[in-house]
């Protein structure tokens, strides 16, 4: 692993550590907070906007360290669509069908523009076009499924962030074995951004990542793993 890749993790971690409390204070004043009800375990006024800091830290790190191509650009564009979907949900509590629509659009961006999909899929006795269609359907299911799975585990302090960092480190190490330093760097950029947030998300958490963070992280993990 090169020093530049390690530095990318450190830099996004530091940026995130600086941004998280700032974002938390601002959004508390704006009233973007986690509501207390009979399903929640937290008490008090806690901002649910840690995902803003994660996303901005990741973007700044990408500008500094990432060498982009069509695939990376499609991932960044799809990630922006997902982040905006979660951002609107945190503010307006979107209906599930609108969140699903945003996820499908983001998935189609990386499939159609970035040409990222399940490769080498083939069922015997079926024409190649049918195999391709099935592969695309599986790819969409994978992206939407992992995105929502990560969002669903964002229920306990530090759980979603901690698991996501472990997954991203694993993907990064695997990518290096195949010579994909771009994917390794992309993974560690995101891991560093999440790590800075995790400092404030250990129990008792002082900030939550919200849907904008959880959906963005889930989407990125699903696409990077492809």
């Amino acid at each position: 692993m090169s020093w530049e890749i390690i530095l990318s993790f450190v830099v996004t971690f530091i940026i995130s550590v600086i941004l998280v409390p700032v974002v938390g204070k601002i959004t508390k004043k704006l009233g973007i907070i986690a509501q207390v009800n009979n399903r929640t375990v937290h008490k008090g006024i806690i901002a649910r906007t840690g995902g803003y800091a994660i996303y901005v830290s990741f973007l700044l790190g990408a500008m500094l360290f990432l060498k982009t191509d069509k695939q990376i650009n499609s991932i960044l564009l799809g990630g922006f669509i997902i982040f905006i979907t979660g951002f609107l949900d945190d503010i307006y509590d979107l209906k599930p069908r609108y969140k699903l629509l945003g996820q499908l659009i983001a998935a189609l961006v990386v499939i159609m523009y970035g040409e990222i999909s399940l490769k080498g899929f083939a069922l015997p006795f079926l024409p190649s076009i049918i195999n391709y269609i099935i592969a695309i359907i599986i790819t969409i299911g994978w992206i939407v499924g992992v995105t929502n799975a990560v969002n669903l585990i964002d229920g306990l302090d530090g759980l979603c962030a901690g698991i996501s960092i472990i997954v991203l480190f694993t993907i990064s190490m695997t990518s290096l074995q195949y010579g994909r330093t771009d994917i390794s760097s992309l993974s560690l950029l995101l891991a560093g951004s999440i790590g800075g947030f995790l400092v404030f998300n250990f129990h008792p958490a002082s900030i939550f990542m919200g849907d904008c963070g959880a959906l963005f992280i889930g989407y990125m993990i699903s696409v990077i793993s492809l």
Side-chain angles (χ1 to χ4, degrees):
M1 180 180 293
S2 69
W3 285 107
E4 186 176 359
I5 294 177
I6 297 173
L7 183 62
S8 68
F9 172 84
V10 175
V11 169
T12 53
F13 177 88
I14 293 173
I15 295 174
S16 183
V17 166
I18 295 171
L19 285 180
V20 168
V22 175
V23 168
K25 288 179 181 179
I26 294 173
T27 51
K28 274 185 181 179
K29 293 180 180 179
L30 295 175
I32 310 175
I33 59 175
Q35 301 297 326
V36 178
N37 54 48
N38 57 3
R39 294 186 301 162
T40 57
V41 295
H42 74 276
K43 297 179 181 179
I45 299 175
I46 301 178
R48 57 172 181 173
T49 51
Y52 299 8
I54 292 173
Y55 183 70
V56 172
S57 303
F58 170 79
L59 279 188
L60 291 174
M63 291 171 60
L64 291 171
F65 296 100
L66 206 58
K67 296 177 181 178
T68 60
D69 55 19
K70 187 169 74 170
Q71 286 191 331
I72 298 297
N73 286 336
S74 70
I75 293 174
L76 296 176
L77 178 58
F80 173 74
I81 294 171
I82 280 289
F83 173 78
I84 292 299
T85 301
F87 174 83
L88 294 174
D89 185 51
D90 286 333
I91 298 176
Y92 301 111
D93 196 18
L94 295 179
K95 293 182 179 179
R97 64 173 176 267
Y98 295 129
K99 289 199 288 186
L100 178 60
L101 177 62
Q103 294 167 21
L104 290 174
I105 293 173
L108 290 174
V109 166
V110 294
I111 292 172
M112 301 303 178
Y113 172 51
E115 299 179 357
I116 300 172
S117 63
L118 182 64
K119 304 296 183 182
F121 179 84
L123 291 175
F125 312 116
L126 288 179
S128 58
I129 184 63
I130 300 298
N131 280 320
Y132 175 74
I133 292 172
I134 295 174
I136 295 299
I137 293 172
I138 293 174
T139 301
I140 293 173
W142 171 259
I143 294 173
V144 172
V146 173
T147 299
N148 286 290
V150 172
N151 189 33
L152 286 173
I153 65 173
D154 184 29
L156 295 175
D157 294 349
L159 180 62
C160 180
I163 291 177
S164 298
I165 290 173
I166 293 171
V167 171
L168 288 166
F169 263 101
T170 303
I171 293 174
S172 179
M173 297 302 103
T174 304
S175 300
L176 285 176
Q177 293 180 5
Y178 288 92
R180 291 300 302 265
T181 55
D182 54 341
I183 297 300
S184 179
S185 179
L186 186 65
S187 302
L188 288 189
L189 283 170
L190 183 56
S193 303
I194 300 170
F197 162 80
L198 184 58
V199 172
F200 303 93
N201 191 237
F202 283 115
H203 183 76
S206 59
I207 189 169
F208 300 140
M209 67 173 62
D211 276 6
C212 65
L215 290 175
F216 174 67
I217 292 170
Y219 172 82
M220 292 298 291
I221 288 176
S222 70
V223 176
I224 292 172
S225 63
L226 283 170

